[in-house]
Amino acid sequence: MTVALLLLAAYVLDRMVGDPRSLPHPVVLMGKAITALERLIRRFVRQRSLKRAGVLLPLLVAGGSWLLTASLLWLLSEISPWLALAAEAWLLSTTIAAKGLKDAGMAVYVELRRGDLPAARQALGMIVGRDTASLDSPEIVRGTVETVAENIVDAIISPLFYALLGGAPLAMAYRAVNTLDSMVGYKNDKYRDLGWASARLDDVANYIPARITALLLTLCARLLRLDWRRCWRTVHRDARLHPSPNSGYPESAVAGALGIRLGGENVYHGVASFRAYMGDPLRSLEPEDIIITSRMMLLSSSIFVVFCAALAFIGTGG
């Protein structure tokens, strides 16, 4: 019963409040810890030993996040069980980013509807790593849809999945793994050795949630009267083509449901990179595709949190 209420409370809290800048956010602290540890490792570890040292990052950051969260909740429970429950609900809400994801997509959509391409490019550049300075409207829409779709896993389904299994400590450990991947999980010369363990652990952590997300998005496609059959077929055909073992599932599901094609050429710091196509170009990309993708994101996350709460309720005997 307690776990069920915690999951629902955390999700509602995120949907209502999001991440106020006035409050300290655990991910910011994780980022600072990762930066400090990276500097320390590079200072004392030789280049040839970086691959072995790379294992330390997820162990220390993810393990430390779990330990600190669990210790804090234990200390608060010694003061008051209600205080611990309130803190856990807030901590869980910081691992979820449904409101932030929706707001980021809407910021791009609003500028596109105004016809202000420079502002739309700038808004997109806040949430993607690709170069946006020369993108036209369809490419801006593609970047936004891909980002919202991909982050349904990282920012919502995975945190809820791990919260169901291990409460705020495990959800916070997952968030640490995901933050590590976004900071050091690159295959370039700088991070190939130091970040390999973080990237691999992120792939493993998101493996089950990504596939759950594809199922949820197919259900959402049906509920929203989109083409759910094409959604499911596209997942089976295209998800495995994505360079990520997980990101292709939500992206291909959204592409199939909307009847659009995602993927193609992206430019990162002036260097072009081709990403496999997801879906079929049955029509051109339109700004409204951002709205529909956001609706699929919010509906799928709402369904999943209710499902997780029901499982927790049943698992504790009601």
Side-chain angles (χ1 to χ4, degrees), residues 63-294:
S65 296
W66 183 93
L67 183 60
L68 285 172
T69 305
S71 299
L72 174 62
L73 293 176
W74 178 78
L75 287 172
L76 292 176
S77 69
E78 292 295 299
I79 301 171
S80 167
W82 293 106
L83 181 60
L85 286 173
E88 185 162 14
W90 175 74
L91 287 170
L92 277 177
S93 75
T94 67
T95 68
I96 307 166
K99 184 179 186 298
L101 196 53
K102 178 192 173 185
D103 290 348
M106 286 303 299
V108 180
Y109 172 79
V110 167
E111 301 302 341
L112 285 174
R113 295 302 299 171
R114 288 175 179 167
D116 192 340
L117 285 183
R121 291 168 184 147
Q122 185 177 11
L124 176 61
M126 299 294 291
I127 57 175
V128 299
R130 71 190 71 175
D131 298 345
T132 63
S134 60
L135 298 182
D136 59 14
S137 180
E139 283 297 293
I140 293 172
V141 172
R142 176 171 75 87
T144 309
V145 169
E146 287 175 351
T147 299
V148 173
E150 178 182 356
N151 281 284
I152 296 172
V153 179
D154 296 353
I156 307 170
I157 304 303
S158 286
L160 288 171
F161 177 79
Y162 288 105
L164 174 65
L165 296 179
L170 193 58
M172 202 62 71
Y174 164 77
R175 180 53 66 198
V177 169
N178 190 244
T179 305
L180 276 165
D181 181 61
S182 67
M183 292 183 66
V184 304
Y186 301 103
K187 296 181 180 179
N188 54 29
D189 291 338
K190 183 177 181 180
Y191 289 114
R192 182 175 291 109
D193 291 331
L194 184 62
W196 74 273
S198 298
R200 188 68 57 85
L201 185 57
D202 184 72
D203 289 341
V204 172
N206 286 313
Y207 186 89
I208 294 175
R211 285 141 185 86
I212 292 173
T213 302
L215 290 170
L216 289 167
L217 290 173
T218 303
L219 173 60
C220 291
R222 182 158 192 171
L223 293 174
L224 294 173
R225 298 184 179 180
L226 302 171
D227 195 330
W228 67 272
R229 291 185 178 86
R230 186 174 61 228
C231 173
W232 188 243
R233 288 197 303 268
T234 305
V235 170
H236 276 271
R237 187 190 69 189
D238 296 343
R240 58 187 172 81
L241 303 177
H242 199 284
S244 164
N246 301 313
S247 297
Y249 284 85
E251 288 189 29
S252 61
V254 169
L258 272 61
I260 59 175
R261 186 172 72 180
L262 301 176
E265 186 175 276
N266 299 327
V267 179
Y268 299 92
H269 305 293
V271 179
S273 175
F274 181 80
R275 180 173 290 180
Y277 289 124
M278 305 272 120
D280 301 306
L282 302 180
R283 59 175 180 83
S284 60
L285 287 147
E286 300 290 342
E288 281 67 28
D289 291 323
I290 299 173
I291 299 293
I292 300 172
T293 305
S294 294

Side-chain angles (χ1 to χ4, degrees), residues 1-8 85 92 163-165 167 308-309 312-313 316:
M1 182 68 174
T2 301
V3 176
L5 291 175
L6 277 172
L7 291 171
L8 292 171
L85 286 173
L92 277 177
L164 174 65
L165 296 179
C308 288
F313 183 76
T316 55

